[in-house]
Amino acid sequence: MIFTPSNHLSSDDWRLIRELYEASFPIEERRDWALVQRPQRSEFALYKMSDEAHSFIGFATMWHLPSCLYVEHLAIRADLRGGGLGTAVVQALLQESDSERPLLLEVEPAEAGELAHRRIAFYERSGLQLLPYDYIQPAYSDDLPEVVLRLMCSRWLEEHSCRHLIGDLYRVVYARSTDARRDVHEGKV
């Protein structure tokens, strides 16, 4: 699998990524496309994923934070799902993380439906753990709602450590100064 950084993408690559981005994530879970193409923060990275023949497989957006490697969006083309590519991507991302900087991502709660339940099971099989704390994704803009999600991590986090990571997400990724303590409560979801 080949990971191509955003500064090496063609206009066709951007078109494919945008189509998959908009098809894979509801509007309340997407940042403005202009900020994906021209991020305001150096911690943000977008990678196109392709096979050895350079055929488009999917993309990942992530944030290289001091406390974690946060995967904001990860999508594989629908016609390629179920063939092991997602597992290969997660394994590659796990190799990028370490004990000091775990891999972290958001998922819809299992109660959201069968697809959310299957997605959580996939990430668990890939080596991530569902954390038992409530989490609210801040709104990407004033006209979008907050979203109740769950966090999955490459290692177990106690509530205090999770609160610290959420604080980093809020401050850097979502540009919010919200007190993370209000969003982390064990056993509420």
Side-chain angles (χ1 to χ4, degrees), residues 104-131:
L104 185 74
L105 54 81
E106 300 165 336
V107 293
E108 293 176 317
E111 297 80 21
E114 180 60 27
L115 184 58
H117 181 72
R118 288 193 341 230
R119 188 174 293 122
I120 289 168
F122 161 76
Y123 284 123
E124 287 176 333
R125 286 190 309 274
S126 298
L128 299 176
Q129 299 177 41
L130 183 65
L131 299 176

Side-chain angles (χ1 to χ4, degrees), residues 52-188:
E52 298 303 321
H54 300 283
S55 296
F56 177 67
I57 292 172
F59 75 93
T61 63
M62 45 190 128
W63 294 77
H64 298 270
L65 304 174
S67 59
C68 67
L69 177 60
Y70 168 62
V71 178
E72 185 175 23
H73 298 99
L74 173 61
I76 303 293
R77 282 184 13 212
D79 61 317
L80 298 176
R81 293 177 191 154
L85 291 172
T87 300
V89 169
V90 173
Q91 293 305 309
L93 294 173
L94 284 169
Q95 290 178 3
E96 290 291 315
S97 67
D98 55 43
S99 62
E100 296 298 315
R101 217 174 59 149
L103 183 69
L104 185 74
L105 54 81
E106 300 165 336
V107 293
E108 293 176 317
E111 297 80 21
E114 180 60 27
L115 184 58
H117 181 72
R118 288 193 341 230
R119 188 174 293 122
I120 289 168
F122 161 76
Y123 284 123
E124 287 176 333
R125 286 190 309 274
S126 298
L128 299 176
Q129 299 177 41
L130 183 65
L131 299 176
Y133 313 113
D134 286 353
Y135 170 73
I136 297 174
Q137 174 201 284
Y140 275 110
S141 66
D142 292 339
D143 59 332
L144 293 174
E146 296 179 329
V147 182
V148 175
L149 296 173
R150 297 293 297 273
L151 292 173
M152 296 193 76
C153 190
S154 58
R155 67 176 175 164
W156 179 254
L157 296 175
E158 296 296 330
E159 185 175 350
H160 173 76
S161 297
C162 188
R163 189 176 329 126
H164 175 75
L165 290 181
I166 291 171
D168 283 353
L169 292 181
Y170 279 16
R171 188 178 63 260
V172 179
V173 176
Y174 297 104
R176 303 279 195 270
S177 60
T178 304
D179 181 2
R181 286 177 295 208
R182 81 169 180 88
D183 297 313
V184 180
H185 307 287
E186 190 163 351
K188 299 281 181 158

Side-chain angles (χ1 to χ4, degrees), residues 32-47:
D32 184 85
W33 181 247
L35 295 175
V36 173
Q37 282 193 294
R38 291 176 294 289
Q40 306 296 308
R41 302 288 304 239
S42 62
E43 298 91 344
F44 178 83
L46 179 140
Y47 297 94

Side-chain angles (χ1 to χ4, degrees), residues 18-45:
R18 184 174 187 171
E19 288 172 1
L20 184 56
Y21 181 66
E22 292 177 353
S24 300
F25 301 96
I27 192 166
E28 61 271 8
E29 294 179 27
R30 297 190 313 242
R31 68 181 51 254
D32 184 85
W33 181 247
L35 295 175
V36 173
Q37 282 193 294
R38 291 176 294 289
Q40 306 296 308
R41 302 288 304 239
S42 62
E43 298 91 344
F44 178 83

